[in-house]
RNA sequence: GCACUCGUAGCUCAGCUGGAUAGAGCACCCGCCUUCUAAGCGGGCGGUCUCAGGUUCGAAUCCUGACGGGUGUACCA
């Protein structure tokens, strides 16, 4: 439910009753439990406009407040804060409703938006490396989240399958004279070998250059080789996606090459819009206030990534009809997107009301604050990183229990991959973050294992409990009150996280939720002797809703839960 | 040089549209298991929010400047 909106309505109606006629000022979550559940700080802001003392204004609002329904207590504090406590009966009822709902009370948007989320974007000439991790999982989370909220999400995997390097690669593939399944196992090595061949042999190099032209002109033989190459390379990516448990399929692939035929049109349109200017033989757009031009066509006639991006923007806005287009790409490309978005709007490729955003993220660092590399300085292959996560997860969880080998394998996969994802997604995406195995696979603090553990503990309660789960929720103390309010805030959190494209708002919420639950559970026994039936039922219901909220939250992050840990 | 971005506890990080005494985890110290998973919970220690101005009833948050780190800067993506 949209809890905050409910509280805002109560305030707004008090404004009406009091005859205060101003734009609505929203409440905020209370900064401390002593200050209630929500606080209204608008009295101070209104003081000047109303020419009244803020405490007096607060007094007027409180006097006109309906204290019988949602809010049970309102207190004026300090210079004019109004602290608001939610009614236990109200939250108990809403929590029960949420629990009875498959979507735990989260509504689908009344006005869904068509959104394109562009993420992952691996290069077909190379193996996926850790640099692709963040784009892939942040993008996947954003897509999951928007989709859950009811938006019409179109996932777009803008793979790099076009460019001069492919001439060399397919020439080499042909020379190897096989279907590629052998030598293409290691793309990194294949690329190196092809490059070595290219540098050493003039005849081969000429052929490679010739093949570039041939692919572009649609030569059947070369196109076939190219398709084979892309197919195998994409297969590697899919292995990673599957291991990562990410919702990307071939249907989501809209490769660079897809836009190839429209690039000439882009140049034409830019030209007729009067935006093109030749500079050093290249076709450029000079934007007001920008030092560097956007180059859309090289002096040799070739196109650049800005050209492809413009074509993609046109396609997404006009053919797909997106109203929001999100690019989940490394922060270092900020300048590029800033310019391309401006060009797209100024040239009319994208209507004014379409929201274009660069969902930027920082670099992954090692413990010493250096970019994450292998010991010998190479890039870390993503698949290796994931395999290591699984191995380490295995070590971490065997420390306590004995599992069968199959069960251990299954758990380690969920836990290990989940830990990698959670560690990444729990950091504010715009900052660089330090990759640390130990922290990642710790059970303490804001980690996936702390969440998994809490979830498993709750499942354990239900394994032991024999009765049916029905009855009412009754809030019996402050901890239960806070837990219930936290549970009801879920939708508000998701909406904001979706709008800000900020997965860490979800993890922060989950951490707070779980911490509250742990405290509640410590203090308020459920199955122990001496707990009366009604109290037990109520607590079971709260525990159930908590577990389902944890599960839903983690699922949105692309993380599975385990029933036992 | 210019542009962008970051600077919060010893370390890793939260801190939402400005709100009350700046929050977590780790590390360190001290408590709590005959009973629902102690991989948990409680308590303690630890801060001039880089610095200096400004706006405001109120600034870690907004503005200006300085200092420090990162990144980007014309035909790669």
């Amino acid at each position: 439910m949209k809890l905050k909106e409910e509280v805002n309505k109560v305030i707004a109606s008090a404004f009406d009753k009091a005859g205060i006629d101003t734009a609505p000022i929203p409440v905020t979550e209370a900064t401390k439990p002593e200050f209630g559940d929500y606080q209204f700080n608008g009295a101070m802001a209104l003081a000047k406009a109303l020419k009244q003392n803020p405490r007096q204004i607060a007094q007027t609002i409180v006097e006109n407040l309906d204290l019988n329904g949602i809010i049970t207590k309102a207190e004026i504090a300090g210079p004019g804060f109004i602290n608001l406590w939610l009614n236990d009966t109200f939250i108990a009822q809403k929590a029960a409703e949420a629990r009875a709902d498959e979507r735990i009370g989260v509504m689908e948007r009344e006005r869904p938006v068509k959104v394109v989320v562009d993420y992952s974007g691996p290069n077909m000439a190379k193996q996926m490396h850790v640099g692709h991790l963040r784009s892939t999982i942040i993008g996947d989370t954003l897509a999951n989240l928007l989709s859950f909220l009811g938006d019409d999400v179109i996932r777009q995997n803008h793979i790099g399958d076009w460019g001069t390097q492919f001439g060399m690669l397919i020439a080499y593939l042909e020379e190897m004279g096989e279907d590629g399944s052998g030598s293409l196992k290691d793309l990194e090595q294949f690329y190196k070998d092809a490059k070595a061949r290219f540098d050493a042999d003039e005849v081969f190099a000429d052929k490679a250059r010739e093949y570039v032209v041939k692919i572009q002109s649609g030569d059947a033989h070369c196109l076939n080789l190219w398709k084979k190459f892309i197919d195998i390379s994409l297969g590697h990516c899919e292995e990673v996606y599957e291991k990562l448990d990410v919702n990307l399929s071939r249907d989501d692939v809209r490769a660079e090459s897809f836009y190839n035929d429209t690039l000439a049109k882009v140049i034409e349109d830019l030209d007729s819009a009067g935006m093109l200017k030749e500079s050093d033989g290249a076709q450029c757009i000079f934007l007001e206030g920008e030092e560097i031009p956007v180059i859309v066509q090289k002096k040799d006639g070739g196109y650049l990534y800005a050209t492809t991006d413009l074509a993609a923007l046109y396609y997404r806005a006009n053919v797909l009809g997106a109203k929001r287009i999100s690019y989940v790409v490394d922060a270092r490309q900020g300048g590029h997107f800033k310019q391309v978005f401006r060009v797209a709007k100024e040239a009319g490729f994208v209507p004014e009301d379409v929201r274009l955003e660069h969902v930027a993220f920082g670099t992954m660092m090692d413990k010493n604050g250096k970019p994450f590399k292998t010991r010998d300085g190479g890039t870390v292959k993503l698949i290796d990183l994931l395999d290591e996560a699984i191995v380490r997860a295995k070590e971490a969880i065997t420390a306590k229990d004995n599992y069968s080998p199959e069960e251990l394998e299954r758990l380690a996969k969920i836990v290990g991959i989940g830990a990698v994802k959670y560690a990444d997604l729990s950091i504010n995406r715009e900052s660089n973050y330090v990759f640390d195995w130990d922290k990642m696979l710790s059970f303490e603090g804001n980690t996936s294992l702390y969440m998994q553990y809490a979830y498993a503990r709750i499942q354990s309660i239900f394994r032991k409990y024999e009765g049916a789960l029905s009855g009412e929720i009754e809030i019996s103390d402050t901890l239960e009150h806070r837990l219930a309010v936290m549970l009801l805030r879920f939708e508000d959190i998701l909406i904001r996280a979706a709008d800000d494209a900020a997965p860490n708002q979800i993890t922060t919420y989950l951490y707070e939720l779980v911490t509250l639950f742990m405290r509640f559970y410590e203090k308020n026994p459920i199955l122990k002797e001496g707990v009366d039936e009604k109290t037990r039922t109520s607590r079971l219901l709260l525990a159930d809703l908590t577990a389902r909220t944890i599960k839903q939250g983690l699922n949105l992050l692309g993380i599975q839960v385990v029933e036992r840990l």
Side-chain angles (χ1 to χ4, degrees):
Chain A
M1 71 173 304
K2 296 184 183 69
L3 184 57
K4 197 190 269 190
E5 204 173 289
E6 296 298 321
V7 181
N8 280 329
K9 278 187 210 158
V10 177
I11 295 286
S13 100
F15 268 52
D16 273 355
K17 265 173 63 183
I20 303 172
D21 185 24
T22 56
I25 302 170
V27 296
T28 59
E29 286 80 23
T31 49
K32 288 179 182 192
E34 307 94 274
F35 300 153
D37 299 310
Y38 285 89
Q39 52 180 274
F40 179 76
N41 304 328
M44 278 86 76
L46 286 173
K48 214 170 241 174
L50 298 180
K51 290 184 184 142
Q52 275 185 56
N53 173 326
R55 274 197 78 104
Q56 244 167 35
I57 297 170
Q59 187 61 42
T60 311
I61 296 168
V62 169
E63 278 163 10
N64 286 285
L65 215 50
D66 174 12
L67 292 181
N68 292 319
I70 295 169
I71 289 162
T72 189
K73 190 168 89 170
E75 252 177 32
I76 301 171
F81 298 102
I82 303 176
N83 296 331
L84 304 163
W85 278 261
L86 293 169
N87 186 331
D88 279 343
T89 315
F90 170 75
I91 58 174
Q93 191 205 326
K94 288 296 170 187
E97 282 172 21
R99 211 201 67 83
D101 178 20
E102 266 188 17
R103 296 172 54 87
I104 49 175
V106 179
M107 303 287 287
E108 294 203 35
R109 285 202 223 273
E110 283 167 26
R111 305 167 79 185
V113 179
K114 192 170 263 191
V115 188
V116 163
V117 183
D118 177 313
Y119 67 105
S120 196
N123 188 325
M124 292 299 108
K126 292 177 191 153
Q127 205 109 15
M128 284 182 83
H129 54 85
V130 292
H132 295 107
L133 177 66
R134 305 205 74 189
S135 174
T136 305
I137 64 181
I138 294 170
D140 200 51
T141 298
L142 181 60
N144 292 342
L145 180 57
L146 291 169
S147 177
F148 182 66
L149 290 174
D151 282 340
D152 182 3
V153 175
I154 304 171
R155 298 165 191 256
Q156 294 278 274
N157 191 358
H158 190 83
I159 64 169
D161 66 343
W162 209 241
T164 51
Q165 57 205 340
F166 289 96
M168 171 182 95
L169 292 168
I170 61 167
Y172 190 64
L173 180 66
E174 183 184 51
E175 198 168 271
M176 299 299 286
E178 28 113 0
D179 65 359
S181 57
S183 52
L184 269 176
K185 264 217 170 76
D186 187 338
L187 269 176
E188 224 61 34
Q189 196 54 48
F190 187 88
Y191 189 94
K192 270 185 208 155
D193 294 346
K195 184 79 170 60
R197 187 87 178 80
F198 184 89
D199 291 338
D201 187 338
E202 220 15 77
V203 181
F204 177 82
D206 282 341
K207 190 173 180 188
R209 289 190 202 99
E210 181 194 328
Y211 274 22
V212 177
V213 180
K214 280 190 165 179
I215 308 173
Q216 301 199 344
S217 59
D219 173 86
H221 173 66
C222 287
L223 224 42
N224 261 334
L225 281 169
W226 171 75
K227 276 183 187 151
K228 185 188 283 174
F229 184 91
I230 300 302
D231 190 57
I232 295 168
S233 184
L234 197 51
H236 290 318
C237 295
E238 281 164 342
E239 251 175 74
V240 173
Y241 293 152
E242 207 194 324
K243 195 158 271 183
L244 247 190
D245 194 14
V246 154
N247 288 311
L248 271 176
S249 71
R250 281 213 181 195
D251 295 340
D252 303 316
V253 170
R254 194 81 69 190
E256 273 177 34
S257 60
F258 175 82
Y259 302 102
N260 194 45
D261 295 342
T262 61
L263 299 181
K265 181 80 167 32
V266 168
I267 304 296
E268 224 175 87
D269 290 348
L270 287 169
D271 195 24
S272 49
M275 292 174 74
L276 283 189
K277 203 170 166 185
E278 199 180 306
S279 176
D280 291 337
Q283 292 299 322
C284 305
I285 298 154
F286 289 86
L287 290 163
E288 175 116 23
E290 293 284 337
E291 212 177 327
I292 294 144
V294 180
I295 304 176
V296 288
Q297 191 168 25
K298 298 192 275 189
K299 61 180 163 211
D300 69 3
Y303 303 113
L304 290 115
Y305 71 130
T307 328
T308 313
D309 275 341
L310 286 168
L313 277 163
Y314 180 89
Y315 177 80
R316 290 162 183 188
N318 300 291
V319 180
L320 297 179
K323 289 292 168 201
R324 175 178 177 184
I325 306 175
S326 304
Y327 286 83
V328 186
V329 181
D330 193 299
R332 283 173 285 202
Q333 290 189 43
H336 165 71
F337 282 110
K338 192 178 156 208
Q339 290 192 324
V340 167
F341 289 167
R342 259 187 78 182
V343 172
K345 290 241 162 142
E346 288 181 19
F349 289 179
V350 173
E352 263 320 304
D353 66 337
V354 174
R355 170 173 167 188
L356 300 179
E357 64 181 348
H358 174 205
V359 179
F361 55 82
T363 313
M364 191 191 277
M365 304 294 203
D366 64 18
K367 269 187 174 170
N368 303 315
K370 300 265 167 53
F372 199 76
K373 292 274 167 67
T374 55
R375 275 192 201 85
D376 52 5
T379 52
V380 179
K381 287 178 199 161
L382 190 43
I383 197 90
D384 294 344
L385 182 99
L386 299 179
D387 286 336
E388 184 169 355
I390 295 168
V391 170
R392 284 176 182 263
K394 222 175 269 180
E395 287 164 12
I397 58 184
T398 33
K400 191 183 179 189
D401 261 304
N402 287 325
Y403 297 101
S404 70
E406 301 77 37
E407 181 64 358
L408 183 60
E409 194 63 39
R410 190 184 73 86
L411 287 181
K413 205 176 161 212
I414 295 175
V415 164
I417 300 299
V420 170
K421 286 179 156 183
Y422 194 94
D424 193 309
L425 296 168
S426 63
I427 302 297
N428 181 336
R429 65 173 160 78
E430 297 197 56
S431 47
N432 296 343
Y433 88 103
V434 177
F435 188 92
D436 180 349
W437 286 115
D438 296 331
K439 196 185 154 198
M440 194 178 308
L441 287 162
S442 157
F443 280 83
E444 287 149 350
N446 188 8
T447 62
S448 70
L449 285 183
Y450 182 72
M451 311 296 147
Q452 295 281 13
Y453 178 65
Y455 183 82
R457 274 184 93 172
I458 298 174
Q459 297 317 305
S460 165
I461 301 171
F462 286 103
R463 277 194 294 273
K464 294 205 162 77
Y465 177 69
E466 314 240 301
L469 193 55
S470 68
E472 285 176 15
I473 294 178
E474 273 176 36
I475 306 297
S476 68
D477 70 0
T478 315
L479 274 175
E480 290 185 8
H481 176 96
R482 290 178 58 195
L483 178 61
V485 171
M486 187 63 85
L487 287 164
L488 293 176
R489 285 182 51 205
F490 190 50
E491 182 168 359
D492 286 340
I493 299 294
L494 295 187
I495 290 172
R496 210 167 63 89
D499 195 46
D500 297 348
N504 78 309
Q505 291 178 15
I506 300 176
T507 61
T508 301
Y509 168 79
L510 287 176
Y511 182 54
E512 283 172 16
L513 173 67
V514 167
T515 304
L516 260 181
F517 177 80
M518 289 291 201
R519 293 174 59 192
F520 153 82
Y521 189 49
E522 196 78 22
K523 187 167 157 284
N524 299 358
I526 298 178
L527 298 182
K528 290 184 183 179
E529 301 253 330
V531 181
D532 69 79
E533 199 55 42
K534 276 184 98 171
T535 308
R536 173 171 297 165
T537 306
S538 171
R539 289 179 183 165
L540 279 168
L541 292 171
L542 280 173
D544 179 55
L545 181 56
T546 301
R548 285 170 55 202
T549 305
I550 295 170
K551 183 177 179 181
Q552 183 60 257
L554 289 176
N555 285 171
L556 290 173
L557 301 172
I559 300 170
Q560 304 302 315
V561 290
V562 294
E563 305 301 308
R564 209 189 285 265
L565 190 60

